[in-house]
Amino acid sequence: PATNRFHLPMSRTRLHTSLSPDLSAWRLQFMPDGRSLVVGCITSVHIVDSATGEVKREIPDAHHDIVVSIAVAPGGQQMATASFDRTARLWD
């Protein structure tokens, strides 16, 4: 299957994911435990295992426009996303 690659400059490594190559990642945010990465794409949000690149959760229609901001609560149980569609949403 096709994969996307994200270059993580601080660690000088690349993360290969099973996300569709058609998806453009606009925002990235690590979960507090460092084991997962939240990826904000055009209208969707994905939580990806930062070691394996496996998609753990997908929110396909999170917004109607590009996801421009991601914030994760310190405990990692909630996150907020915002979009060019002028909405902000909270997720459990």
Side-chain angles (χ1 to χ4, degrees), residues 15-92:
L15 173 65
H16 297 266
T17 74
S18 57
L19 292 174
S20 166
D22 298 338
L23 295 174
S24 295
W26 284 79
R27 288 289 178 257
L28 303 173
Q29 175 71 43
F30 276 101
M31 297 292 275
D33 65 7
R35 293 182 291 190
S36 298
L37 183 67
V38 182
V39 181
C41 296
I42 300 296
T43 61
S44 60
V45 176
H46 308 267
I47 299 177
V48 177
D49 184 293
S50 60
T52 67
E54 176 187 353
V55 177
K56 297 164 67 172
R57 181 175 177 197
E58 182 176 6
I59 306 170
D61 296 314
H63 290 278
H64 296 291
D65 206 341
I66 297 168
V67 176
V68 295
S69 184
I70 299 169
V72 179
Q77 297 301 312
Q78 293 180 314
M79 69 176 171
T81 57
S83 168
F84 279 142
D85 66 8
R86 297 189 208 180
T87 63
R89 298 197 174 167
L90 296 174
W91 308 95
D92 289 324

